[in-house]
Amino acid sequence: MNETVKVHLLGRDYVLSSSGDVETLQEAAQLVEEKFASVSTTVSVDTRDRQILAMLNLAGDYLHEKRRRLALELEQDELRKQNVSADIQKQQLELVLIDRIEKALQF
């Protein structure tokens, strides 16, 4: 179900239709506005160039976070492998101890 969402970007109001999360769309619009504002204060270029620079900044942020998430996923996978390895070693030691106890009890 599509919802109508009003957002304010670059001095203009836009009415958008969204099938996704309305709050996320509003946050995205606010982020774009903030990026545009940060480019506007640091660079003296025309509006189109500022928009492009803001989009490049957002894309760079996105790619950075995507790479960071991938690195965390790889680290998590490695930790899981280490935990499995430790569990196997623990089970093997338990079997050795049980075997020794059984042999000791048999005299």
Side-chain angles (χ1 to χ4, degrees):
M1 176 180 198
N2 286 355
E3 289 189 57
T4 301
V5 182
K6 183 178 177 182
V7 296
H8 186 79
L9 286 168
L10 309 175
R12 293 182 59 191
D13 288 328
Y14 294 90
V15 178
L16 307 172
S17 179
S18 174
S19 61
D21 180 21
V22 171
E23 187 174 307
T24 300
L25 178 58
Q26 290 170 331
E27 286 180 43
Q30 182 179 352
L31 181 60
V32 168
E33 187 71 23
E34 289 170 5
K35 286 291 184 180
F36 183 73
S38 73
V39 171
S40 296
T41 60
T42 59
V43 181
S44 64
V45 292
D46 71 6
T47 301
R48 181 181 167 96
D49 288 342
R50 286 190 302 227
Q51 291 169 341
I52 290 170
L53 290 172
M55 287 186 292
L56 284 171
N57 283 337
L58 286 171
D61 291 348
Y62 167 78
L63 291 172
H64 172 75
E65 289 303 316
K66 184 177 176 181
R67 288 184 186 115
R68 190 176 73 79
R69 181 180 55 87
L70 179 60
L72 288 172
E73 287 174 358
L74 291 173
E75 184 179 343
Q76 188 177 32
D77 286 345
E78 185 60 35
L79 289 172
R80 281 190 191 117
K81 288 176 187 176
Q82 290 174 5
N83 283 339
V84 168
S85 178
D87 286 345
I88 290 171
Q89 289 177 346
K90 180 182 170 186
Q91 289 173 353
Q92 289 173 340
L93 286 173
E94 288 172 351
L95 291 174
V96 168
L97 287 173
I98 290 170
D99 187 53
R100 287 183 182 172
I101 291 170
E102 287 176 349
K103 285 181 182 175
L105 291 174
Q106 291 177 0
F107 299 109

